[in-house]
Amino acid sequence: MNRLAKSLGQAPITRALGAFANLPARPLAKSTQMRLLGGNLYSTQSSSRSSASPEISLGDAAVLKASGRSWQEANAKNPAFAIERDLPGPKSRKREIGIFVAVAAITWGLGTVIAFNYQRMTSTPVTAALFTARHNDEIKRELGSQLNFTSAFPWISGDISHLKGFVEVEFDVVGSKGVVGRLVLKSKRKGNQSGEWHTVDFYVSLPDGRRIDCEQ
């Protein structure tokens, strides 16, 4: 082989390669093209089959039936279908916020009123006045014994201010006879916070308009 190569020389080989490079390109046979493109054709046919008969849910089927369009037309690129499938705008919550603020304000107001009324009911001037009226002989004859509030949580009218030095309260009382009276207590403090308290009015008014003085 070496002798044959040496005998032929390098020039014939170079000329043969150049001639092969200059040969015109022949088209591939049809069978070869089909074999090369078989995978792409199969994938294209598969995709066309899947788009022709897709699997859709019951909800999508109902929407398509209502819109009168086919599955191929029902896509985001179709302007007409996109308009029919517009999402609703955001719901305004102003009414809900207004109701919440109103309920919160009413609850806070009622809680404040109840708290101040309970503070007056359990204060020392009110409990002391009720105790004094309960042991008054004339009140016992008119209203009966066991004088107390008319309810478990009565309303105490007026105000009590130890800082300003005055007490002005009124509330209903009832005894064992079932007669309801109105206890009134008004007192003021003279001088500074260490001054003495002086009673201005302390009586129980009866339904007939009479007053029973409770001050002793």
Side-chain angles (χ1 to χ4, degrees):
M1 293 294 297
N2 293 334
R3 292 179 181 179
L4 179 60
K6 289 179 180 180
S7 62
L8 291 175
Q10 299 294 330
I13 296 175
T14 303
R15 286 195 298 272
L17 293 174
F20 180 77
N22 293 327
L23 288 176
R26 295 180 180 179
L28 295 176
K30 187 174 182 181
S31 60
T32 305
Q33 294 179 4
M34 293 298 294
R35 285 195 300 271
L36 292 175
L37 299 176
N40 295 334
L41 289 175
Y42 177 76
S43 61
T44 303
Q45 293 174 0
S46 300
S47 62
S48 63
R49 286 196 301 270
S50 61
S51 62
S53 58
E55 295 181 0
I56 61 176
S57 63
L58 295 177
D60 293 337
V63 173
L64 292 176
K65 184 177 180 180
S67 62
R69 299 181 183 277
S70 64
W71 175 258
Q72 287 77 8
E73 295 175 331
N75 54 69
K77 296 180 181 179
N78 190 326
F81 186 79
I83 292 174
E84 293 178 7
R85 290 293 302 273
D86 280 346
L87 296 176
K91 183 179 178 181
S92 177
R93 304 191 64 182
K94 291 182 179 180
R95 184 171 179 272
E96 297 178 1
I97 294 175
I99 293 174
F100 173 79
V101 172
V103 172
I106 293 173
T107 304
W108 179 83
L110 288 176
T112 303
V113 171
I114 292 172
F116 279 111
N117 185 71
Y118 181 79
Q119 184 180 13
R120 291 192 296 268
M121 185 184 71
T122 57
S123 64
T124 302
V126 171
T127 55
L130 184 61
F131 178 83
T132 303
R134 185 180 294 134
H135 292 83
N136 186 283
D137 295 334
E138 190 175 356
I139 292 176
K140 287 182 180 181
R141 287 194 301 268
E142 297 292 339
L143 302 181
S145 60
Q146 300 178 358
L147 192 71
N148 207 337
F149 297 117
T150 55
S151 62
F153 195 79
W155 177 254
I156 309 297
S157 302
D159 194 9
I160 299 174
S161 177
H162 294 283
L163 181 63
K164 295 180 180 181
F166 71 90
V167 174
E168 295 180 359
V169 292
E170 297 181 16
F171 54 92
D172 292 333
V173 292
V174 63
S176 59
K177 294 182 178 181
V179 180
V180 178
R182 185 77 172 175
L183 191 151
V184 178
L185 173 63
K186 294 181 181 180
S187 179
K188 288 185 178 181
R189 183 183 62 211
K190 292 184 178 181
N192 53 20
Q193 294 185 359
S194 60
E196 295 183 356
W197 287 83
H198 296 273
T199 303
V200 179
D201 284 323
F202 183 23
Y203 60 88
V204 173
S205 61
L206 302 177
D208 56 5
R210 291 181 297 148
R211 292 184 179 184
I212 301 176
D213 191 7
C214 300
E215 188 176 2
Q216 297 177 352

